[in-house]
Amino acid sequence: MDANRLPRLWLLNIGNEVALGSKAIHYTPSRLVRQMRRDLSALPAFFAGDNPLDAVWIEDGLPSLPERSCLPARQCYTTKQLLQADFDTPFQLELWGREPSLVQQLIRHYPELFDKKIIPPTTKQLPNSFFDRTLTASFLKEWDIPTPSIINNDQELKRFANELSQDKFVIKQPFSSSGRGIHLVNSKEYSKVRCKYPLIAEPYYEKVSDWAIEYTIEGNKYICKEALSHFYTDHFRYIGNTVCSQEMLLQRLTNEVGSSIIEHVVEAHKKFLLREVVPYYQGPVGIDMMSYRKGNTLCLHPFVEINIRHTMGSVAERLFSHYGYNDKEYFLQIEHLPSLEEEGNNPCEKPYFDSNGRLISGKMWLSGRDETSRFGASLSALP
């Protein structure tokens, strides 16, 4: 049976990079990652593929999604419901990102599901360079941009700080994502760094805005440019995405850095992916970029990091295709939730949809919540 034709059962394993870097035989995600996976587990119901039989595997006990009578959300199943239900065809399990230890754990705990109802994804190990941030240095060797340095001990960190012409720099931990494991360091206070080696160190840039290009690798040589993404961070941590037409996003980035550099970057990305990624992997890939100020000029950093997984940029693009108007702008946000009492004192604007289910105004929640929820996802129509 062709796995590509099967309906997919989506499972949101956010934070998978940490698992890939762990040497533990039985890896357990941190409490924060477990909380996010639980609270946001229904999010794929709003961006899953076009197959109406696609479904989403959610946490047991997750509160119901908000009213969604106008929304083409996919069916959500808890583990108990999957065990009890009968399906005409098996599901292909679709993870947010590669995590062999999780797949093995699920097969071990629910053998009856994987006997007939679910086909697991490959557990083949990918090169560590896909997740430890070293691919960035490989790409930038051909550009007039300083390459990140791998720091293995205190002496190497001291040398990097002393040779730097700036008064601050950035360190990143391998096998991390979404801003976790990234710190800004004062060059004169490098000795205060309290992180495990190895680390990735790179110059500090006067960033103007964050961007990404989302690609899909299909087959062994086909790469398609899926979407341009404009996202926001606070102290390196992901906050949310602009959700609007691709034409609006491209015009905005063009106004900052010009069209020729964007075209050049896309071509360079594709050549790099063909050489470094395609031989080992098929699926979604996101390459983060940023515009930054260099003197009086705005420049485009073509490759801040690579994400070998689904990304919030691709989620934003699919949400727009489902719920957006071409001339409107929206904001996709992952946020820390206030308590239910605090939320009651500050109710958000109710969402209004047209007859086709497109968001006219207000805030549309993409996750349910209860008294134990700490994270929420939403799509807001901007004025």
Side-chain angles (χ1 to χ4, degrees), residues 1-11 48-49 51 53-57 82 87 89-96 98 103 106-107 113-114 116-123 282 310:
M1 187 177 295
D2 185 356
N4 292 324
R5 298 178 181 271
L6 293 175
R8 288 181 288 181
L9 182 66
W10 293 73
L11 181 61
N51 189 334
L53 297 179
D54 278 6
V56 181
W57 192 348
L82 285 170
F87 304 102
T89 58
F91 290 107
Q92 175 67 47
L93 185 61
E94 179 77 15
L95 298 179
W96 177 259
R98 187 72 65 92
V103 175
L106 292 172
I107 293 172
L113 285 180
F114 288 90
K116 294 182 179 179
K117 296 181 181 181
I118 301 175
I119 297 175
T122 178
T123 55
Q282 296 180 31
H310 292 281

Side-chain angles (χ1 to χ4, degrees), residues 175-187:
F175 300 99
S176 59
S177 65
S178 301
R180 292 182 291 274
I182 304 180
H183 306 278
L184 184 63
V185 179
N186 186 310
S187 299

Side-chain angles (χ1 to χ4, degrees), residues 101-115:
S101 61
L102 173 62
V103 175
Q104 292 164 359
Q105 178 184 355
L106 292 172
I107 293 172
R108 191 165 57 248
H109 287 176
Y110 310 111
E112 58 271 54
L113 285 180
F114 288 90
D115 181 34

Side-chain angles (χ1 to χ4, degrees), residues 208-264:
V208 175
S209 56
D210 287 301
W211 296 85
I213 302 179
E214 318 301 338
Y215 298 93
T216 300
I217 299 174
E218 299 174 353
N220 60 0
K221 286 191 177 180
Y222 181 68
I223 302 172
C224 64
K225 188 180 89 170
E226 180 177 291
L228 183 64
S229 165
H230 182 22
F231 62 98
Y232 297 85
T233 58
D234 180 26
H235 294 88
F236 302 110
R237 296 217 169 196
Y238 175 83
I239 297 174
N241 262 81
T242 293
V243 179
C244 63
S245 70
Q246 286 293 297
E247 291 77 16
M248 290 176 66
L249 289 174
L250 181 58
Q251 187 60 58
R252 194 168 297 177
L253 182 56
T254 300
N255 290 343
E256 290 188 14
V257 300
S259 59
S260 60
I261 183 61
I262 300 171
E263 296 169 0
H264 180 45

Side-chain angles (χ1 to χ4, degrees), residues 15-23 126-133 172-177 180-181 198 200:
N16 65 297
E17 289 91 348
V18 180
L20 294 170
S22 172
K23 292 181 172 60
L126 294 173
N128 280 346
S129 60
F130 282 20
F131 307 100
D132 66 6
R133 301 184 185 271
K172 300 178 178 180
Q173 293 176 290
F175 300 99
S176 59
S177 65
R180 292 182 291 274
I200 308 297

Side-chain angles (χ1 to χ4, degrees), residues 179-355:
R180 292 182 291 274
I182 304 180
H183 306 278
L184 184 63
V185 179
N186 186 310
S187 299
K188 295 181 180 179
E189 299 178 350
Y190 66 87
S191 60
K192 295 182 179 180
V193 171
R194 295 292 182 269
C195 296
K196 292 182 179 179
Y197 296 108
L199 298 170
I200 308 297
E202 58 186 50
Y204 172 79
Y205 294 90
E206 190 181 344
K207 184 187 72 176
V208 175
S209 56
D210 287 301
W211 296 85
I213 302 179
E214 318 301 338
Y215 298 93
T216 300
I217 299 174
E218 299 174 353
N220 60 0
K221 286 191 177 180
Y222 181 68
I223 302 172
C224 64
K225 188 180 89 170
E226 180 177 291
L228 183 64
S229 165
H230 182 22
F231 62 98
Y232 297 85
T233 58
D234 180 26
H235 294 88
F236 302 110
R237 296 217 169 196
Y238 175 83
I239 297 174
N241 262 81
T242 293
V243 179
C244 63
S245 70
Q246 286 293 297
E247 291 77 16
M248 290 176 66
L249 289 174
L250 181 58
Q251 187 60 58
R252 194 168 297 177
L253 182 56
T254 300
N255 290 343
E256 290 188 14
V257 300
S259 59
S260 60
I261 183 61
I262 300 171
E263 296 169 0
H264 180 45
V265 165
V266 170
E267 278 304 307
H269 282 175
K270 289 184 175 181
K271 289 180 180 179
F272 184 81
L273 291 173
L274 277 171
R275 184 176 72 247
E276 301 290 341
V277 179
V278 169
Y280 309 96
Y281 171 83
Q282 296 180 31
V285 176
I287 298 179
D288 289 352
M289 312 179 296
M290 67 176 167
S291 64
Y292 65 98
R293 200 174 302 281
K294 187 176 181 181
N296 295 322
T297 305
L298 281 183
C299 304
L300 181 65
H301 190 302
F303 201 115
V304 176
E305 66 182 39
I306 187 169
N307 297 300
I308 312 288
R309 54 170 169 77
H310 292 281
T311 66
M312 296 308 293
S314 59
V315 172
E317 192 272 336
R318 293 176 192 173
L319 287 175
F320 181 76
S321 68
H322 286 320
Y323 311 116
Y325 286 96
N326 280 335
D327 59 348
K328 281 189 70 68
E329 186 171 328
Y330 306 82
F331 189 64
L332 165 64
Q333 185 173 12
I334 305 297
E335 56 188 300
H336 286 269
L337 296 173
S339 67
L340 289 173
E341 181 179 355
E342 292 172 331
E343 185 179 79
N345 295 329
N346 297 281
C348 63
E349 186 181 353
K350 182 179 178 180
Y352 290 94
F353 304 91
D354 68 11
S355 58

